[in-house]
Amino acid sequence: YRDSKRKDDVRINNIVAAQAVANAVRTSLGPRGMDKMIQTSNGEVIITNDGATILKRMEVEQPAAKMLVELSESQDVVAGDGTTSVVVLCGSLLGKALSLLQRGIHPTLVSDSLHKAAIKGAEILTEMATPVTLDDRDELLKSASTSLNSKVVSHYSGLLAPIAVDSVLRVIDPARPDSVDLKDIKVVRKVGGTVDDTHIVEGLVFDQKASKAAGGPTIVKDAKIGLIQFQISPPKTDLENNVIVSDYTQMDRILKEERNYILAIVKKIRAAGCNVLLIQKSILRDAVTDLALHYLAKAKIMVVKDIERDEIEFISKTLNCLPIASIEHFKAEKLGKAALVEEVKCGSDGKIVQVTGIEDKGNTMTVLVRGSNKLVLDEAERSLHDALCVVRCLVNKRYLIAGGGAPEIELSVKLQQWAKTLQGVESVCVKAWAEALEVIPYTLAENAGLNPIEIVTELRNLHAQGKSNFGINVRKGTITNILEENVVQPLLVTTSALSLASECVRMILKIDDVVPTR
C-alpha cells in the first residue's frame, strides 16, 4: 500500500513530533528517574517528576504532540498515577507504527490490530491481578508507597502513604462505596518545618490568621461559627458617583450613619449567638472595614477573613453549617458548632486557625503539608495527590497488580503467543505491538543504570516459563519476584494507561492531512 508523498509526510511528521515529546519525559520514569526543572516565563521554578506536570508546562506547538499532553492529563484524571508511563508507552507504540507503515501496511489495518491488542491486553492484565479489600490496610499502604517511590519526596513515603490511605478511607461515602471525591480532602500548605511535620488534622484548618487589628479574640471555646457571604462595610453606590459634602454637620451624619449601619449588622450577628465569623473574600468592596472589626472585637467575636470562594462548599460540608448570603437570614440554626477555634503558631512566623471538636462533622479530611521551602512543598503536595489518586483507584476497582515492569513484560509475552494464532497482516501487527510494550521495563532498567538489553531478555525468559510476577528490582539491581518486594500498583492505572495510549496512537494514525484555516 503506497499513499501519496504528502500524506506519508504528514503521518511521519506527526509521529516524529509526538515521539519527541515522549522522549523528553522518558528519563523521569520509575524510582530512579531524573527530575525536571521547569522555568516558567515569569521566572518561577518548579522541580518535579510528575509526567502530567512536566507536559502541562511544556510549550508544545505541533498539534499531534499536543495530543500527548492531553493524553497525560486524561491519565491524571482517570488514575492520577502513571502519567509518565502512558506517554512513554504511546511513544513506543508510535515508533512501531512507523515501521509497520514503512513496510507498506495500510494505516487502518495497523489501527484495528492495535484496538484488538488493547482489548486482549486488558483481559490478560485482569487475569494476573489479585483482588483486594479495603480492610486490607497493608496492601493499600504498599500501593501508595510504590507511587511515592518515584517522587522527589520518596524518602518520606513511610509518612505520606498512611496519610493518603487514612484520608481516602475516611471520606468514602457509605451510600456510594465505589467512588471517592478527592475534593473532600483539603491539602493546606504551610512553609516552615520539614515534610516530617505533615499530619492529618482532626477538623478544619485555615491558612489565614485571625484578624486582630482591633484586639479581637484569638481563641474561642464552644464556638458557634457563621460563614457569611455578605460584606460588613458601608454600602457603595452602583455606579461611580461622587458625594460632595459642603459642611461639617453633613460629614458627621455620614459617619454616624455608617456607624449605625455596621452596629446594626454586628448586633444581629451577636443576637444569633455567633462568636466566630468566617468572611468570604469580596471583589466589589471591602468585605470588612476597620470599624467593623473594632465592633466585632468588642462583641468578642473572632474573625477570619479572605475565605476563598471555592472553599465555601468544603467549609460548609465540614462544619455542617450553611453559607449565609444576607444579614436578614442570619439565624442560629445556620451556624456550625465546634469545641475549640484557636490560632496556632506554625513555623517561625506563620500562623493558622484551627477548628477542632466539630459537632456532626461532614465526611471530609484536612491534611497540613509542611516543607522547608516552596519547591519541596509543591512537590510534596503533588506527590500526596498522586498517592491519594492511587488509593482512589483501588476503591474504584479493587484489584492489585505487580509493579516494576512485570505486567508489561507479561503482556508482551502473552500477546506474542496470541499473535501466532492470528493470520496475515494482523499477526505481524500484534507482534509489533507486543514488542512495543517492552519499552517500560527497558526504560526502568536504563534509568536505574542497569544493562537494559540483558535485563529485558532475562525477564522475557522468566515470564515465558510462567513466572508472571517477576520484575526489575531497582534497589538491588536484579530481577526478583516483585510482589515479595511490596512493589504493587492498582490494576486501573495499568489498564487505563494501555487503553488511553492505544486510543491516542490510533487517532494519530488516522490523520492523513493537516488543513490550516484562517
Side-chain angles (χ1 to χ4, degrees), residues 148 152-153 156 160 187 189 195 198 369-371 374-386:
L148 289 166
V152 182
V153 290
Y156 294 113
L160 294 175
V187 179
R189 298 178 295 179
V195 182
T198 302
V369 176
R370 308 295 305 279
K374 194 169 173 297
L375 296 178
V376 175
L377 202 58
D378 288 352
E379 186 56 19
E381 190 202 11
R382 276 193 291 271
S383 310
L384 185 62
H385 175 74
D386 274 13

Side-chain angles (χ1 to χ4, degrees), residues 120-265:
K120 180 75 178 168
E123 285 170 19
I124 295 169
L125 284 173
T126 314
E127 279 168 23
M128 66 178 287
T130 47
V132 63
T133 59
L134 294 184
D135 311 332
D136 192 353
R137 191 157 179 267
D138 285 352
E139 292 294 330
L140 298 181
L141 281 175
K142 282 179 199 171
S143 55
S145 49
T146 303
S147 155
L148 289 166
N149 276 344
S150 64
K151 304 284 184 266
V152 182
V153 290
S154 58
H155 46 285
Y156 294 113
S157 62
L159 169 77
L160 294 175
I163 288 180
V165 172
D166 293 341
S167 308
V168 173
L169 291 183
R170 283 194 203 172
V171 297
I172 293 177
D173 186 2
R176 293 178 306 153
D178 287 349
S179 64
V180 175
D181 188 2
L182 288 185
K183 283 184 186 147
D184 290 344
I185 300 171
K186 182 182 174 194
V187 179
V188 179
R189 298 178 295 179
K190 203 73 181 156
V191 174
T194 61
V195 182
D196 279 325
D197 302 333
T198 302
H199 61 278
I200 289 181
V201 180
E202 288 293 340
L204 191 59
V205 168
F206 296 108
D207 207 357
Q208 299 91 337
K209 300 178 192 167
S211 315
K212 45 180 188 295
T218 57
I219 176 165
V220 176
K221 288 179 178 156
D222 290 333
K224 295 193 174 49
I225 306 167
L227 176 61
I228 64 168
Q229 294 181 302
F230 57 87
Q231 295 89 10
I232 311 180
S233 59
K236 268 187 176 175
T237 51
D238 287 346
L239 299 164
E240 279 294 318
N241 283 347
N242 291 336
V243 178
I244 298 169
V245 180
S246 52
D247 63 354
Y248 283 116
T249 49
Q250 287 177 323
M251 210 150 121
D252 284 351
R253 254 183 70 197
I254 290 176
L255 292 171
K256 207 168 171 184
E257 282 294 322
E258 186 181 322
R259 253 205 317 269
N260 291 346
Y261 176 80
I262 289 175
L263 258 175
I265 292 180

